[in-house]
Amino acid sequence: MENWQAIFSVIIFITVIVLIMMEWVHLTIAALLGALLLVFSNIMTLPEAVAYIGKSHGTLGLFFGVMVLVRAFEPTNIFSYIATQIVILAQGSGKKLLLGIVALVTPICAVLPNATTVMLLAPLIPPMAQEIGVNFVPLLILMVFVANSAGLLTLVGDPATFIVGDAVNISFLDYLWNLSLGGVIAVVTVICTLPFLFRKIWNTRLDDLAELPHPQINHPRILMVGGVIVGFVLLFFVIGESLPIPISPAAVALLGAALALLLSHHSRIDTVNNILRDVDWSTLIFFMSTFVLIGGLDKTGVLKGLSGILAIVLGKNILLGSLVLLFLVGVLSSVIPNIPLVVAMVPLLKQYIVNVGLAPAEILASDYQGQFPPEVLPLFYAMMFGATLGGNGTLVGASSNIVAAGISEQHGRRISFKTFLHYGIPVMLLQLVTSALYILVRFLL
């Protein structure tokens, strides 16, 4: 491949990352323009670009399905109801309020993408906090920390987690057995910081709980049927890939979305057009554009060259490589959105383990469905933990952070980069250290 094409692909990728980091251009616009520049400069054809998107159909299918499923049940008011109950159960204790937010967000983010969860729950926090006389900015920041951390509890909880897991063919059950404990440790680490980082709210006595609005659940019968659909989706997330005819998490999510659309349409609680209009198309287009950008680096040989450098530096030392990847990707993910970072790192890491002879060249095929050598998996696990938890470091580290900042600004308070750093850096560093210990003890020693 000609040198100018490789250089141009790198320039486009770095420019897109800088635009996103500096928030000069909306991240979807930046990524889409970058992808289109690759096509118009003839670095890749439009069919090749679509083919690179198609290679990641599992990621796109999963998140589209979950977005539709969640949006379909919004008219039942279930999320507002649950959030209000958490505040009431706090019984005037700031400590219980903080723990209640952790208890609310953790199970939801284990099965829903973290940015989607923040979109649903974050708008409920400012009005409630103002009613009880509490600053809502720390509460939103806490919600983001828990959402990002709880995304490690299951394979489908975070986009970065799913992208890495899907790339190395980890099943939902394998993930639960091998990696979910790391997610639990990440959430517990956040809880341990509450009395120190959130000291003011932790020691506060809350007033005026009687004045809180008490939202009611709408369409309870529809919600019960919806609960059956969600239960079906969760069950097949767990057992789908072990059936005689395997069913991927993406296929399960899409079927759940179709059933939810059927229920909404038949019961007339909402229209199909309204539900599909409210899907987060911006995030999906961002995903697709990012896959094309990484495709440009792949086609021009940039990823192969970088993997060669990695092979020289790390050699075959899995322990050193895992620790270096965990902290390097963690720090990078605090300033670079973790989705494009992970999409770039996965093929780079695959090429590296092939170059040093730790895995056969067959794993580089886009349709490879076999098992990876167990000894190389800690490298991918380290990258997964680093990318997910590094997003807690700064305001631009994860999409859920940006969502929460936007909601805070809509309610009259801006979360500055410096304010987020005050909370984010200690949490990120503690989580990276505890994750390193977990990976060492669980997989490397």
Side-chain angles (χ1 to χ4, degrees), residues 32 127 148 200 273:
L32 182 58
N148 292 337
K200 188 173 181 181
N273 285 340

Side-chain angles (χ1 to χ4, degrees), residues 234-428:
L234 296 179
L235 175 64
F236 278 86
F237 273 165
V238 175
I239 69 170
E241 290 173 301
S242 59
L243 294 174
I245 301 176
I247 306 173
S248 69
V252 173
L254 289 170
L255 180 57
L259 293 174
L261 285 173
L262 177 64
L263 178 62
S264 295
H265 177 71
H266 182 72
S267 62
R268 298 183 179 179
I269 64 170
D270 211 338
T271 67
V272 173
N273 285 340
N274 281 345
I275 294 170
L276 294 180
R277 183 189 62 210
D278 291 341
V279 167
D280 186 7
W281 293 107
S282 174
T283 297
L284 293 174
I285 293 170
F286 174 67
F287 278 172
M288 290 186 277
S289 303
T290 301
F291 297 141
V292 175
L293 288 169
I294 302 307
L297 299 178
D298 178 43
K299 185 182 176 185
T300 56
V302 173
L303 295 182
K304 192 171 183 179
L306 290 174
S307 68
I309 296 172
L310 205 59
I312 294 169
V313 174
L314 299 178
K316 292 187 177 183
N317 193 329
I318 299 293
L319 191 151
L320 175 64
S322 298
L323 293 179
V324 167
L325 277 171
L326 176 69
F327 286 98
L328 175 64
V329 173
V331 171
L332 287 175
S333 184
S334 69
V335 292
I336 299 173
N338 57 10
I339 294 167
L341 179 63
V342 165
V343 174
M345 287 297 297
V346 164
L348 175 62
L349 195 51
K350 283 185 177 181
Q351 187 69 57
Y352 155 68
I353 61 176
V354 170
N355 286 352
V356 297
L358 291 171
E362 287 80 10
I363 69 164
L364 299 177
S366 60
D367 57 351
Y368 179 72
Q369 295 298 318
Q371 295 295 312
F372 279 59
E375 60 269 20
V376 306
L377 290 176
L379 294 167
F380 292 92
Y381 298 159
M383 179 173 65
M384 182 189 293
F385 277 73
T388 303
L389 299 176
N392 282 333
T394 73
L395 189 60
V396 298
S399 52
S400 52
N401 307 12
I402 298 167
V403 169
I407 290 167
S408 180
E409 196 158 355
Q410 288 171 7
H411 288 84
R413 290 199 180 182
R414 180 173 170 268
I415 301 178
S416 69
F417 200 89
K418 184 178 178 181
T419 299
F420 197 98
L421 275 182
H422 169 73
Y423 295 94
I425 292 299
V427 169
M428 180 192 77

Side-chain angles (χ1 to χ4, degrees), residues 175-227:
Y175 188 98
L176 289 178
W177 178 253
N178 290 311
L179 294 165
S180 289
L181 179 58
V184 173
I185 292 170
V187 174
V188 170
T189 302
V190 174
I191 293 173
C192 291
T193 67
L194 295 181
F196 309 103
L197 289 179
F198 301 87
R199 186 184 303 108
K200 188 173 181 181
I201 297 177
W202 181 267
N203 295 320
T204 296
R205 293 296 303 174
L206 308 175
D207 301 319
D208 302 323
L209 294 185
E211 303 299 321
L212 272 180
H214 289 61
Q216 298 300 310
I217 291 177
N218 301 324
H219 316 291
R221 290 183 180 178
I222 303 302
L223 184 59
M224 288 177 63
V225 178

